[in-house]
Structure formats: C-alpha cells, structure tokens
Amino acid sequence: MPTNTPPLSDDTTVHTLIIDTDPGADDVIALLLAMASPERLKIQALTTVAGNVPLAKTSRNARLAREWGQRPDIPVYGGAQRPLLRTPIYAADIHGSEGITGVQVHEPAQPLAEGHAVDYLIDTLRAAPAQSVTLAMLGPQTNLALALAQAPDIVRGLRELVLMAGAHFNGGNITPTAEFNVFADPHAAEIVLGSGVPITMLPLDLTHKVLATPERIARLRGLGNQAGRIVADILDAYVRHDMQYYGLPGGPVHDATVVGYLLQPSLFGGRWVNVAIDSREGLGFGQTVVDWYGGLKKPANVRWIAEGDAQGFFDLMTQRISRLF
Ligand code: RIB
Ligand code: CA
C-alpha cells in the first residue's frame, strides 16, 4: 500500500557510495556533483554500463569526469556491454556521438581498473558490512541485475538503491510510455525491482520539474572555475533538445537529481508505492507501472519521487560545483 514513510536517509547521512553510470551528459554532471561532496559521499568506485553510448565511450567518459573532478582516488570499472536480452539501443542523438555534449573529449591518462564491474560489485558487496553500501544507478540497471543473478546474497551489503529511472505521470522520453534507462534494459529493471533492497526512484515525473534554465546555467558559468565552465558548456548543448521537444523553459538534468537526493533528500517528496515493469513487446515495453493509489493491494517496493524544490537543487549544485577546480 502507498505510504508516506520517510526516506531512508536524511540531509546529514554519510553514504558509502558506488555510482553505476552510462556517461552521458547528465551523468557527467551528476559525477562532478558527487565528487564535489567528499564529506558526505564516500565514493568507492564508478561502474560503467552501455547506455547513452557504447561501453567503450561510457567508460572513457567516466574516466574523463574523474579527471575533471580531480579524483584519481576513485577507480572506474567497466561493466556490461549490452542489455540482458533486448537488442541494444543508444541515445547518441541526445548525448552526441562521443556521449558528452558541448565539450571536447580526450583519452584520459588514468586507465580503467582491472576487472569487470559485475565482479567488483559482487566482491565489494559480499565483503561490506550489512546494509552499508548505497548504490546510485544512473543508467540501465544491467550490471546490478547480472550481479544479483550470479550472487543473490549481495543484497545483504546494500543499504539502498537510488535510481534515475522510470516515468508515470510525465509519460516517457524514449517512447510515450517508457523512460530510457528502463527501456534500454527492462529485464534488468525487473530483477532490480524484485531484489528486496529498499529502492528510491527519481523518474521523469521529478526530473522534468527540476530544469536547467538559461539563468541557472549562466550562474554555473559565472562561478569562474573550470568545473563551472564544463557543466555550463555541457548543459547549454544538452538542454536544447528537451526545451524544444517538450516546450520547456529549461532542460532536465536527470542524473544529477539522484546526487542532489543523496545530499539533501529534504528537497524532494515521494510516496512508497508498488512499481512493476512491463517487459512485454509492444507499446508498453519498458513502462514503469506505478500503483500510485494502491488499488492493486500489492506491497510497496519503491519510494517514487514526484516532487522537488528546483531552486533548492540548483542552489545546492552551484554551491558544490564552486568547490571544484
Ligand atoms: O531518461 C534519462 C536517463 O537516460 C538519464 O540517465 C540519461 O543519462 C539517460 O541515461
Ligand atoms: Ca544516465
């Protein structure tokens, strides 16, 4: 049944954090925001997955974000090259052929860590104290689904999952019903939603209300540091498509809201509900079916975030990005 049970964390929680990501313009901004908050987010590793662009580029881009964030202490592990079952899809039309809009890319000096991301997740979560690790998921959930299939016992080490995924009231962005991260691997999403780990989802219902307007982007550029310029350059190019397509006054920075939630959950509002994934071929493929009023009388498995303080989020992000170089 829907409940308003409070979030698992609060504005002071220090997270032992792994970020699973498919950079991706908004992923890069999320990663910079996370790297700018070391006192609250103890980033253990980045794990990459194919999504916005193929794995080689998402992995290169995660290493680039690490370089821009000047955090060589954070290992990057490459993960799944393709979804569990469906044919791979990408979003280079939105994120550019290199996977990051608005900036020049290069091959970062620091390489990937040895080993596959799925093995890293299994080994790390098995060794972790019970319910100690927060996993933020910014792309298709393929890596965690593979890890859960191989080692179901790893749920013990997880505190909570915080996902940018799904859409209900807003409608989809890759089809009228589906959001990209779920559409790109709905079978993985089914496994993750069935894991029993507490899950918070930040769907398009939320991200389309927290918009990077020209004024908010100008404020980031006005910080005068490299990170502010990089974020502003990425956003200037990234938001254009969504502003035009949806007729919005600004563009969503989807993945960055996940990090904003980890840092200041009091900025967001949601409800524990039952969420299921439609993985049948057809118009509903990849849809997150959200029982907002509890009519199905099924147990709630997701805290579905539908509201957020947009100005509060951008104030937070701007202040944190100002800390970077
Ligand atoms: O639908 C938005 C999501 O899909 C974001 O995570 C974006 O990076 C893409 O992966
Ligand atoms: Ca992403």
Side-chain angles (χ1 to χ4, degrees):
M1 289 297 285
T3 70
N4 283 315
T5 310
L8 294 163
S9 315
D10 63 30
D11 294 1
T12 65
T13 303
V14 176
H15 289 275
T16 299
L17 180 65
I18 297 171
I19 305 176
D20 192 74
T21 179
D22 67 331
D26 56 324
D27 300 69
V28 168
I29 295 168
L31 295 174
L32 289 172
L33 178 54
M35 290 185 280
S37 312
E39 79 286 3
R40 293 282 312 287
L41 305 178
K42 306 300 181 187
I43 304 172
Q44 306 300 300
L46 307 181
T47 55
T48 61
V49 65
N52 287 315
V53 287
L55 180 69
K57 290 185 176 177
T58 59
S59 297
R60 188 267 322 272
N61 293 341
R63 292 161 51 218
L64 257 177
R66 172 178 62 182
E67 185 177 283
W68 288 332
Q70 301 198 10
R71 291 292 304 275
D73 57 303
I74 300 172
V76 178
Y77 291 88
Q81 294 196 28
R82 52 159 299 117
L84 297 185
L85 294 175
R86 63 154 296 155
T87 51
I89 60 158
Y90 305 104
D93 56 328
I94 304 293
H95 295 264
S97 59
E98 293 303 324
I100 313 178
T101 50
V103 293
Q104 292 298 315
V105 298
H106 62 269
E107 186 62 23
Q110 193 174 352
L112 282 174
E114 287 294 315
H116 194 283
V118 172
D119 296 329
Y120 169 79
L121 287 172
I122 292 171
D123 296 344
T124 302
L125 293 173
R126 276 183 168 158
Q131 299 174 340
S132 63
V133 177
T134 298
L135 177 58
M137 305 193 79
L138 311 182
Q141 295 95 30
T142 316
N143 285 333
L144 180 59
L146 286 168
L148 288 167
Q150 289 176 47
D153 58 292
I154 63 172
V155 297
R156 177 187 166 278
L158 284 165
R159 171 195 171 90
E160 63 179 315
L161 305 177
V162 184
L163 281 54
M164 192 281 134
H168 178 58
F169 297 109
N170 184 83
N173 60 358
I174 188 78
T175 73
T177 56
E179 175 278 324
F180 178 82
N181 287 336
V182 177
F183 187 75
D185 198 342
H187 305 96
E190 278 180 317
I191 291 171
V192 169
L193 259 63
S195 66
V197 179
I199 296 173
T200 299
M201 288 174 85
L202 286 89
L204 300 181
D205 303 1
L206 180 274
T207 66
H208 277 227
K209 296 173 184 170
V210 180
L211 301 177
T213 60
E215 297 73 25
R216 286 166 174 165
I217 296 173
R219 193 172 160 215
L220 284 155
R221 186 179 302 283
L223 291 173
N225 60 350
Q226 173 191 266
R229 281 192 300 278
I230 288 172
V231 169
D233 287 346
I234 291 173
L235 284 177
D236 272 337
Y238 179 59
V239 301
R240 243 175 260 145
H241 170 275
D242 283 0
M243 288 175 73
Q244 187 174 11
Y245 185 79
Y246 297 106
L248 294 171
V253 200
H254 308 285
D255 295 335
T257 64
V258 167
V259 179
Y261 178 83
L262 291 172
L263 292 170
Q264 204 169 336
S266 63
L267 291 174
F268 302 87
R271 180 187 288 190
W272 285 97
V273 291
N274 181 268
V275 178
I277 306 293
D278 185 348
S279 58
R280 299 165 301 171
E281 291 299 330
L283 289 174
F285 184 75
Q287 181 173 3
T288 42
V289 182
V290 178
D291 186 9
W292 189 251
Y293 298 103
L296 297 176
K297 306 280 190 281
K298 288 185 175 180
N301 58 344
V302 171
R303 187 158 188 270
W304 188 266
I305 303 298
E307 301 299 334
D309 172 351
Q311 191 54 50
F313 168 76
F314 279 97
D315 289 347
L316 170 67
M317 183 160 85
T318 304
Q319 187 275 329
R320 294 294 161 108
I321 296 297
S322 74
R323 294 173 164 189
L324 293 174
F325 302 89

